[in-house]
Amino acid sequence: MPNENPGVLVVGGSTVGLCTALFLSRAGIPCTVVERHHASPAHPRAMGIGPRTVEILRAAGLADAVDAQCVDMTGSGLQMFAAPTLADADLDEEARRTPPRDDAYAGLTPQSLRGTCPQGRLDRVLIEAAREAGARIEFGTELRDFTQDEEGVTARVADDRGAREIRARYLVAADGARSGVRDRLGIGTSGPGVIGDPLISVLFRADLSALTRGHTFVVCDITTPEAPGGLLPVDGDTEWIYHFRYPRASGTKAADFTPERCAERIRAALGRDTGVTPEVVSILPWQVRGLIADRFRSGRVFLAGDAAHAIPPVGAFGMNTGVADAHNLAWKLAQVLHGTAHEALLDTYEAERLPVARSALEQSTLRLKDPSLHWATGPEGRARRAAAGALNAPVVHLGYRYASAAVLGAEAEPPSTEDVARNLDGAPGSRLPHRWLPGEEGVRSTLDLVDGRFTLLTGPTGTSWLDALDKAASFLGGVPADGHRIDDGAWTAEAGIRDSGALLVRPDGFVAWRAESLDPAPEACLERVLSALLARP
């Protein structure tokens, strides 16, 4: 039973586990992923990639590759609409009477995707990138047991060749809503639990071009009593998902939905007279769940993604919250494993991500009861959300703030529940404000300047900060840090730093500390700040 010694062992090889491995490997941390399934599943479990996830993918150089895997919805404008069957839907008229949706992220984020992206396609991009970065990804390998001590975690895994041990400094559990790691640790959960009736998701192939007539959409809500459900494009052409509920009280079981029965139901949903014969590829029973782990850390083991929080699908907050978990945790593990931060920095993972996950769960649950809270726009939408205690979706995705020991002077409550731009104001704990900047390397976003390092941004008269950063980082043992002067008065005013102030941004793109003007002793100031942020004595 040979031993292996990665810095981090990741349990679970879906999106969140793969992102964790990618970010760690890019930071120079040896990482192994074990996944009990023999391949990445072809049946999509999520479709929507949120703006913060796009930013994270951009930082890893993958946004364009993922965009190429998306359904092209740039010319459609159709989001969610309802019709008795797809054949009954007048998509031309639907497109004419659907007002153009305001781009809530215009000017706030450097990149967007052209449409939805099936999770399996996203994962294939992540697998290739993580392996190229140096991660070891083992499908068909199951975690059997693990123990931890003061120095690390010993995991016993097994594959077709037999059992072996892996010795890692830390373990990240990204093994899903029914996490075996969470159960072994004895970590409880809270939340609504199982919500509503069970569902069936059917992946099928069919040429629906005669029915869609060149239109793409996010979801068509089929209302015919014969086959109510939701129709979603996988490739926008010949691959589709049809999902529907079945009453638990009826005595029907998931096994009763054979491929033949599912195909018959899909024909009814498309329209009986269409002549379309769907080819059922796979059938996935599933259940909406809402839960959050009581703790995200136990010693040297961390929970991420669905293992930490299972979030209902309305709003696309689940997978995206998990990707942000991975991004948050990876830079902290890297700093600790490289010896530039004290182990206490890892306590800030739970302190930051658990409140964000709790908010995402609350917001998705509200939308599950009333989906219009998500889709409604204008004054009516704002009024409905205010009455229900709901946040506008851009605020959920981008407008949250961190409050922990890894943020100095944090303002935990963002100023707006509707206008995400007001929340991205340079305040400590918020995501760095985006602005396009010209330069010798071409036009870049302020977010692009943060390349996995602490980054100091200052105004046109704050160059003393930059010299001080080099000295402070060197004094502290070579903390990876970089600095940039920004000669854009509008941006520095927006970020709250004036011409001589500074923002210190963490490797994950969140503002760690802000100085409105130049400190009389900038080098000593930055030494104190970096020491505090890295939990160094």
Side-chain angles (χ1 to χ4, degrees), residues 44-389:
R45 288 168 169 79
M47 305 285 283
I49 299 179
R52 181 58 190 151
T53 300
V54 179
E55 293 176 355
I56 293 170
L57 293 171
R58 178 185 175 89
L62 298 180
D64 290 341
V66 173
D67 190 57
Q69 300 296 322
C70 291
V71 178
D72 189 355
M73 296 181 175
T74 53
S76 173
L78 294 180
Q79 296 288 316
M80 179 179 181
F81 64 94
T85 68
L86 184 59
D88 290 323
D90 187 341
L91 297 188
D92 293 332
E93 177 61 24
E94 191 75 36
R96 279 192 294 269
R97 63 189 179 88
T98 300
R101 289 182 60 84
D102 294 334
D103 185 355
Y105 305 103
L108 300 176
T109 190
Q111 189 163 355
S112 60
L113 300 181
R114 58 182 179 161
T116 56
C117 181
Q119 188 175 8
R121 293 187 176 195
L122 169 63
D123 286 357
R124 286 194 288 273
V125 173
L126 294 172
I127 290 169
E128 181 178 356
R131 283 177 168 157
E132 287 182 356
R136 181 172 180 173
I137 302 174
E138 300 185 17
F139 287 97
T141 304
E142 183 177 9
L143 176 71
R144 293 287 178 84
D145 199 4
F146 66 91
T147 58
Q148 58 175 315
D149 53 47
E150 293 183 357
E151 299 297 324
V153 179
T154 301
R156 187 170 185 271
V157 303
D159 57 19
D160 294 340
R161 297 167 296 178
R164 70 184 195 276
E165 285 185 353
I166 299 177
R167 175 70 174 176
R169 294 281 300 280
Y170 296 96
L171 185 150
V172 177
D175 55 341
R178 298 178 180 178
S179 170
V181 173
R182 188 185 66 221
D183 289 346
R184 287 186 180 95
L185 293 170
I187 297 176
T189 62
S190 60
V194 171
I195 302 174
D197 290 322
L199 299 98
I200 296 290
S201 173
V202 185
L203 174 64
F204 71 96
R205 297 192 181 102
D207 182 359
L208 304 185
S209 58
L211 301 177
T212 59
R213 298 184 297 281
H215 294 283
T216 55
F217 49 83
V218 175
V219 58
C220 176
D221 183 20
I222 303 295
T223 61
T224 176
E226 190 177 2
L231 180 68
L232 299 88
V234 173
D235 65 359
D237 186 16
T238 60
E239 284 193 334
W240 304 85
I241 288 287
Y242 182 68
H243 67 81
F244 57 90
R245 300 179 183 275
Y246 63 95
R248 184 180 285 104
S250 68
T252 305
K253 300 177 181 178
D256 296 332
F257 291 98
T258 62
E260 294 75 19
R261 185 173 177 180
C262 289
E264 181 65 19
R265 187 174 181 119
I266 292 169
R267 280 192 289 269
L270 299 176
R272 288 291 187 186
D273 299 328
T274 62
V276 174
T277 301
E279 174 194 353
V280 173
V281 177
S282 58
I283 300 170
L284 178 68
W286 65 291
Q287 176 70 63
V288 174
R289 286 180 169 83
L291 61 86
I292 188 164
D294 297 338
R295 293 176 288 133
F296 285 11
R297 180 185 186 185
S298 177
R300 291 181 168 269
V301 182
F302 299 85
L303 307 183
D306 285 357
H309 44 74
I311 298 173
V314 182
F317 302 143
M319 181 185 73
N320 292 290
T321 301
V323 172
D325 291 344
H327 199 232
N328 183 288
L329 179 58
W331 79 264
K332 296 172 181 177
L333 284 169
Q335 293 283 343
V336 171
L337 289 169
H338 283 312
T340 51
H342 189 276
E343 205 266 348
L345 174 65
L346 300 177
D347 291 334
T348 67
Y349 169 66
E350 178 181 307
E352 293 181 351
R353 294 306 302 168
L354 196 151
V356 172
R358 185 179 291 120
S359 175
L361 174 57
E362 175 184 310
Q363 293 302 313
S364 63
T365 303
L366 287 172
R367 285 160 166 77
L368 196 63
K369 297 175 182 176
D370 181 3
S372 71
L373 296 173
H374 187 73
W375 300 104
T377 60
E380 178 186 355
R382 290 193 293 272
R384 296 187 69 167
R385 283 188 289 273

